[in-house]
Amino acid sequence: MSAAHPAPGALFDAVTLGYLVVESARLDDWRQFGEDALGMELAHRDAHTLALRMDRHQRRLIVQAGPGEDVLAIGWQLRDQAALDEVLARLRRRGIAVSAASAEQARTRGVAGYWQCTGPKGLGIELFTTPLLNEAPLRMRTSAFVTGQSGMGHVAITSRRPEAMLAFWHDIFDARHSDDIVAHISGLTLDIRFLRLNPRHHSIAVACTRGRRMDPIRTRIQHFNVQAATLDDLSAAYVRCRQLGYPIVLGMGQHTNDKELSFYVRSPSGFEIEYGWQPIQVDEQAWQPSIHQGISIWGHRPQQQTLGDKLGEMGRALRSLVGREFMPNGF
Ligand SMILES: [Fe+2]
């Protein structure tokens, strides 16, 4: 099989979550949240852009000034040019428009160059092979984050068209099904499917309501996860978030499927950050997908959710019954 035409499934373990691009009018708040609460290093700040790093990559979390208060795009790092070419070929075969970013756009992402298209739910998909690196020692309020071969974390997305959304990640990135969780939250039954792209148990989770499909979440992603290196890092981050007054949405707890110990804090743009420690990695030889009841073995108790929050979610869920969720051509 030539490098230009990898076998079906060949992109598994060739894709990692590389960076996250947020649009926000709250750059000062994001500076404090990213640096002082999450413990990342401020890598860049000007009137339009804020960038934070958490490892050798120059930039991992990029916040662009704008009114959106949402995630604009996710950068996906491909192992090499052949893997990138294969993803671009798969997108083009389906008639999905892809375009090359300008050199200036690439600089804002901290990569040598990237390609972009619009993915499920209008989430920007940015594809790159070569991050710009900064080998200077990190100056962070935490010892380290676990990134590397597993990428910078995972995202969880709510969808009213989960079959199409799951097909996108399976067909474009050769995602594998890790497991499922059935959860009962606020009187709704949620089916959550977890997909892995590499040794990380999941890089993408897709949640949908059973029966009538509703989406109570305003933002394109429901949460974004980062993985702390040590238990001390996790507990210190929890204390910093609380002391700085960032709302803890779910207190400390442990997940049923990947066994990660984590808490959830609300970011300045409304979506949540899951700060976690020690999720299991998947052993490809022995793994069997299973179905778990409930998201947590213990903990993850809802905190600081106001009646206004709940009413807002209910209103959005009802409004989401009209209008079609965006999916790329062919999905
Ligand atoms: Fe998560």
Side-chain angles (χ1 to χ4, degrees):
M1 192 66 65
S2 78
H5 299 285
L11 291 180
F12 182 76
D13 209 12
V15 188
T16 59
L17 208 164
Y19 59 80
L20 194 74
V21 185
V22 175
E23 181 180 280
S24 175
R26 301 171 184 151
L27 257 56
D28 287 338
D29 202 3
W30 265 104
R31 199 286 307 153
Q32 178 181 261
F33 183 70
E35 200 177 12
D36 301 339
L38 301 182
M40 298 175 181
E41 179 182 317
L42 182 65
H44 177 81
R45 173 74 206 260
D46 63 34
H48 311 289
T49 309
L50 177 74
L52 296 140
R53 77 171 178 135
M54 52 197 288
D55 58 10
R56 300 162 66 218
H57 288 213
Q58 272 187 10
R59 297 179 177 195
R60 285 290 199 179
L61 179 56
I62 300 129
V63 186
Q64 295 186 171
E69 303 306 341
D70 201 352
V71 172
L72 279 184
I74 296 176
W76 298 98
Q77 182 173 354
L78 282 304
R79 181 178 50 210
D80 52 27
Q81 188 63 41
L84 173 60
D85 289 344
E86 175 62 15
V87 170
L88 294 174
R90 291 180 185 188
L91 292 168
R92 288 177 176 136
R93 272 203 297 274
R94 288 165 175 80
I96 298 170
V98 289
S99 60
S102 69
E104 191 185 336
Q105 283 177 309
R107 263 195 304 281
T108 67
R109 272 48 170 172
V111 297
Y114 69 92
W115 291 81
Q116 57 196 352
C117 70
T118 304
K121 226 179 160 180
L123 192 61
I125 305 283
E126 301 186 352
L127 304 157
F128 70 100
T129 59
T130 311
L132 303 177
L133 301 178
N134 178 355
E135 300 292 359
L138 284 147
R139 292 168 288 117
M140 303 194 291
R141 286 172 173 78
T142 195
S143 73
F145 291 96
V146 179
T147 56
Q149 205 195 345
S150 299
M152 75 180 279
H154 68 242
V155 288
I157 308 173
T158 51
S159 178
R160 288 176 292 133
R161 300 179 63 189
E163 295 84 2
M165 183 175 290
L166 291 165
F168 179 86
W169 303 113
H170 282 298
D171 293 358
I172 304 300
F173 284 163
D174 291 335
R176 292 184 182 173
H177 172 203
S178 289
D179 45 32
D180 297 272
I181 287 179
V182 180
H184 302 280
I185 299 172
S186 300
L188 294 171
T189 300
L190 279 180
D191 290 301
I192 314 170
R193 177 153 290 196
F194 296 80
L195 303 180
R196 68 185 183 281
L197 304 174
N198 53 56
R200 188 179 287 282
H201 173 276
H202 59 282
S203 292
I204 300 156
V206 177
C208 68
T209 54
R210 191 175 287 182
R212 197 147 200 192
R213 298 273 169 74
M214 291 187 281
D215 189 350
I217 304 300
R218 178 186 61 80
T219 47
R220 292 189 185 94
I221 69 162
Q222 190 274 330
H223 76 258
F224 173 71
N225 163 286
V226 292
Q227 185 182 341
T230 70
L231 181 56
D232 282 353
D233 286 338
L234 175 65
S235 55
Y238 181 76
V239 170
R240 287 195 308 270
C241 287
R242 287 192 69 112
Q243 284 179 342
L244 290 165
Y246 289 104
I248 305 293
V249 184
L250 300 178
M252 204 72 83
Q254 188 172 22
H255 284 305
T256 47
N257 59 344
D258 69 355
K259 307 294 187 285
E260 187 167 22
L261 196 65
S262 66
F263 69 93
Y264 291 70
V265 58
R266 193 178 306 288
S267 77
S269 294
F271 61 87
E272 296 164 21
I273 304 283
E274 178 185 20
Y275 211 106
W277 174 66
Q278 215 170 48
I280 58 169
Q281 289 207 335
V282 167
D283 172 357
E284 293 298 331
Q285 308 311 317
W287 189 261
Q288 295 289 339
S290 52
I291 300 176
H292 299 265
Q293 299 298 320
I295 66 165
S296 310
I297 301 169
W298 60 269
H300 287 142
R301 296 266 175 255
Q303 298 179 24
Q304 292 174 272
Q305 197 186 35
T306 65
L307 183 61
D309 292 340
K310 282 217 158 199
L311 290 173
E313 284 187 2
M314 282 170 59
R316 277 191 292 277
L318 292 173
R319 283 195 298 279
S320 75
L321 292 170
V322 293
R324 199 161 162 80
E325 182 176 307
F326 178 84
M327 281 296 150
N329 201 41
F331 288 96

